[in-house]
Amino acid sequence: MLQRWHILSFLLAALSAPSFSLADSSFENTAIVRTVDLGGSLVHVTTTYAVKALEPGQTVYHIALDENERHKTSWIEAKVKGQQGALRMEELAQDEDSKSHLFAVTLPKKLGVNGTINLVLDTVQTHATYPWPQSAAQKDPQSLKYESDLFIVSPYHTAVQRTKIKPSSPTVLSYTTPENVDQFTLESPVTKSGTTITYGPFHNIPSSSNAEFIGEHQQVVVVHYNFDYPVLEIKKLQRSAEISHWGSNLNIEDKIHLYNAGPTLKGHFSRLEHQSQNFYRTLGPHILASLTLYLPAGIRNTYFYDIIGNVSTSHLRTAPSVGKNARGNQFSVLEMRPRYPIMGGWNYTYTLGWDAPLEDSVGWDAANEKYIVGVPVMTVIPGTVVTEAEVKIVLPEAATDIEFISPFPALSSSISTHITYLDTTGRPAVSLEYKDLTDKHNGIIYVAYKVPLSAHLKKPLAVATAFLGVFVFALTARRVDLRLHKR
Ligand SMILES: *[C@@H]1O[C@H](CO)[C@@H](O)[C@H](O)[C@H]1NC(C)=O
Ligand SMILES: *[C@@H]1O[C@H](CO)[C@@H](O)[C@H](O)[C@H]1NC(C)=O
Ligand SMILES: *[C@@H]1O[C@H](CO)[C@@H](O)[C@H](O)[C@H]1NC(C)=O
């Protein structure tokens, strides 16, 4: 009997799942404000939901993203307004009729009738803008288009909502005026104040994450704006990190396929024009001449080469090693100058690597007699999407009992054996693959392993326990992951 009841409740749950996106009267949105900060290859969106419970005992609130928005979203996190910790969030199946995606957010406390809470949803969209016009001459400005759905959809009734779109440069070339929205506003549906374009306020919107509302009212709005920096995309990042206990060294090497996703260069590249623009500091915004990278403190033997060879035009200012406790406050700054300026539509493939003291990244877990090494997923280039990433962490020879934790879900992960010509048995390696990484994916992969006594260190490795706290926390207290990946 019990079993049948279980099956029945399972069936009921399955049947009722899609109806979440239809009218749901357990909450009302008293106000929703969405702020879109337009960038180049990354767009940051913050949506605040002022929520009121209408039925007793509410513990789960549903956030909806429509199909377009879900497709662009590479990172998502919900918090209570003014608080630090992310809320537990789970993506439900896509609704077949409306194509909306629902996320179930677990509230920090149960809400009774008329109970309120303010939720903040942070998302990062990738590949969400495109150059318009599609090509530009060396001296031309750069402009991009961004498309958004007008209404913020929700399974609940919304009393009032607005969307603010903020370009980073003061020049807005055009924006769409929505049509047929008289039902929701008696005033102008769009206003521009300074550089901010505001859609709404729209009032008294019924449950909207359903096919009926979307079919009848949803529409696309387009903002055309100038963007004063190169639109950069790393089409592929291959990071390899090699741990050497013998040399007490962590070598990190990035092979990078960089692409300038701005307007393609109209006509031929003129070096003379480039030099004159450079001299008068009037370089076109779509031209990448140099990049500032923040590498770890304490690095040595930094190298940077492209397919032609060593690139010697860059400038590195190394910060001394600061140990693990000050991690994150001190950087070595690399002023990276590619061999030639990268114009829109051009690729640049290069390798950047360095050595770092292993003790800055390793901890010792005495309880399990394991080393734990932390390797950052990537070196963030601000405002740049990493479309594909592969991270390989090569462990010391004869390492066993390998465990690893990614700071967010990987597309795939594996443990293999990496054989170099000096090794006899090969070295185990942990490999992870990711897609569409943003500046929010700036996390650390932790790998724990044992090394047999015979393979132990030539130089004793100084291992701090304070650092270990961070690792153990990451290994044991990791919450259910909230960040998502595009499939
Ligand atoms: C909730 O608020 C409404 C309107 O303010 C009020 O009429 C109702 O009595 C309240 N219900 C409870 C349970 O507080
Ligand atoms: C590469 O260039 C750097 C200067 O940036 C120089 O210090 C280094 O010795 C060069 N390496 C090789 C292998 O030529
Ligand atoms: C840049 O690389 C992509 C492949 O990632 C290729 O399709 C494209 O043609 C390249 N562009 C140029 C100008 O070589």
Side-chain angles (χ1 to χ4, degrees):
M1 194 57 203
L2 187 67
Q3 224 166 2
R4 273 173 62 190
W5 185 84
H6 269 289
I7 292 168
L8 187 65
S9 64
F10 172 78
L11 280 177
L12 280 176
L15 283 174
S16 61
S19 72
F20 277 130
S21 65
L22 304 174
D24 185 335
S25 55
S26 47
F27 287 98
E28 179 190 45
N29 300 310
T30 46
I32 306 179
V33 179
R34 173 171 64 181
T35 306
V36 180
D37 286 301
L38 293 178
S41 68
L42 301 183
V43 171
H44 289 81
V45 183
T46 305
T47 312
T48 304
Y49 297 83
V51 167
K52 182 164 87 173
L54 301 181
E55 287 171 5
Q58 296 303 315
T59 55
V60 175
Y61 176 85
H62 290 97
I63 283 174
L65 294 185
D66 62 31
E67 194 178 23
N68 293 334
E69 213 179 339
R70 173 64 188 89
H71 182 70
K72 293 184 285 196
T73 299
S74 299
W75 189 85
I76 189 165
E77 187 174 76
K79 292 178 177 172
V80 175
K81 189 172 183 181
Q83 292 185 10
Q84 278 304 312
L87 297 173
R88 195 192 148 100
M89 188 173 189
E90 187 188 352
E91 182 163 15
L92 308 180
Q94 183 184 26
D95 177 58
E96 280 181 20
D97 292 333
S98 66
K99 307 286 181 220
S100 301
H101 291 256
L102 281 187
F103 293 84
V105 179
T106 304
L107 302 177
K109 61 179 196 321
K110 195 183 277 189
L111 289 185
V113 174
N114 292 349
T116 61
I117 192 165
N118 288 332
L119 300 175
V120 179
L121 182 76
D122 276 315
T123 65
V124 184
Q125 300 178 349
T126 58
H127 306 284
T129 68
Y130 54 92
W132 199 264
Q134 289 165 304
S135 62
Q138 246 165 286
K139 61 178 186 336
D140 286 349
Q142 167 176 258
S143 49
L144 306 179
K145 280 190 176 182
Y146 173 78
E147 295 179 5
S148 172
D149 284 320
L150 175 64
F151 290 105
I152 306 153
V153 295
S154 171
Y156 315 108
H157 176 270
T158 300
V160 59
Q161 66 162 246
R162 46 167 71 80
T163 294
K164 298 177 181 179
I165 302 185
K166 298 181 170 175
S168 61
S169 122
T171 315
V172 175
L173 302 168
S174 70
Y175 53 91
T176 310
T177 300
E179 287 173 357
N180 302 323
V181 289
D182 297 355
Q183 186 184 338
F184 304 114
T185 179
L186 296 173
E187 291 154 52
S188 168
V190 58
T191 51
K192 182 167 171 284
S193 158
T195 55
T196 303
I197 299 146
T198 303
Y199 287 98
F202 299 119
H203 302 274
N204 200 14
I205 296 163
S207 166
S208 52
S209 56
N210 53 72
E212 190 193 342
F213 181 91
I214 290 172
E216 202 168 324
H217 300 289
Q218 190 60 291
Q219 50 188 291
V220 173
V221 294
V222 185
V223 176
H224 188 198
Y225 60 105
N226 273 5
F227 189 63
D228 296 336
Y229 307 94
V231 182
L232 299 183
E233 175 184 348
I234 293 176
K235 283 192 178 274
K236 186 153 193 177
L237 159 69
Q238 289 165 287
R239 165 163 283 197
S240 122
E242 275 200 44
I243 298 164
S244 160
H245 281 227
W246 285 101
S248 197
N249 191 55
L250 174 65
N251 170 263
I252 292 197
E253 179 171 293
D254 289 342
K255 286 190 166 54
I256 291 178
H257 180 164
L258 181 72
Y259 176 69
N260 184 336
T264 55
L265 179 64
K266 203 188 275 175
H268 286 289
F269 172 65
S270 155
R271 186 162 284 276
L272 190 65
E273 185 172 345
H274 177 70
Q275 278 163 353
S276 127
Q277 280 190 341
N278 221 357
F279 183 79
Y280 293 107
R281 298 186 183 278
T282 55
L283 211 55
H286 44 88
I287 300 171
L288 176 70
S290 72
L291 263 181
T292 302
L293 296 182
Y294 293 88
L295 306 180
I299 59 173
R300 42 181 197 243
N301 307 330
T302 306
Y303 50 94
F304 167 36
Y305 61 88
D306 60 16
I307 41 178
I308 299 174
N310 192 24
V311 185
S312 55
T313 45
S314 294
H315 178 74
L316 176 70
R317 203 171 64 239
T318 322
S321 169
V322 287
K324 292 164 281 240
N325 296 329
R327 191 183 247 254
N329 304 327
Q330 295 282 319
F331 297 98
S332 302
V333 181
L334 177 68
E335 203 69 51
M336 196 186 106
R337 283 198 160 265
R339 189 175 295 278
Y340 48 85
I342 320 287
M343 314 301 288
W346 289 14
N347 297 302
Y348 188 61
T349 305
Y350 63 90
T351 299
L352 175 64
W354 60 84
D355 290 325
L358 183 57
E359 53 269 32
D360 286 1
S361 301
V362 74
W364 173 249
D365 173 3
N368 296 303
E369 301 192 314
K370 280 179 142 182
Y371 288 99
I372 309 175
V373 172
V375 174
V377 174
M378 60 176 168
T379 299
V380 168
I381 301 181
T384 304
V385 60
V386 180
T387 303
E388 264 182 63
E390 285 172 19
V391 182
K392 184 171 192 173
I393 301 168
V394 182
L395 305 179
E397 193 174 340
T400 58
D401 299 84
I402 300 159
E403 286 179 284
F404 58 93
I405 284 183
S406 171
F408 41 83
L411 282 183
S412 75
S413 59
S414 62
I415 298 178
S416 61
T417 306
H418 178 91
I419 295 177
T420 67
Y421 72 103
L422 283 178
D423 293 332
T424 45
T425 53
R427 305 174 58 177
V430 173
S431 301
L432 300 114
E433 290 186 334
Y434 302 98
K435 197 169 159 42
D436 294 323
L437 301 180
T438 70
D439 48 7
K440 298 274 193 184
H441 291 97
N442 188 13
I444 294 178
I445 302 165
Y446 291 109
V447 184
Y449 55 89
K450 285 187 176 170
V451 263
L453 218 50
S454 61
H456 252 285
L457 327 163
K458 192 159 76 178
K459 294 188 215 169
L461 194 57
V463 168
T465 44
F467 188 42
L468 185 67
V470 181
F471 287 127
V472 172
F473 177 79
L475 281 169
T476 56
R478 197 169 66 122
R479 62 197 327 133
V480 174
D481 214 296
L482 317 164
R483 285 142 290 193
L484 61 114
H485 275 267
K486 231 184 256 187
R487 267 170 282 251

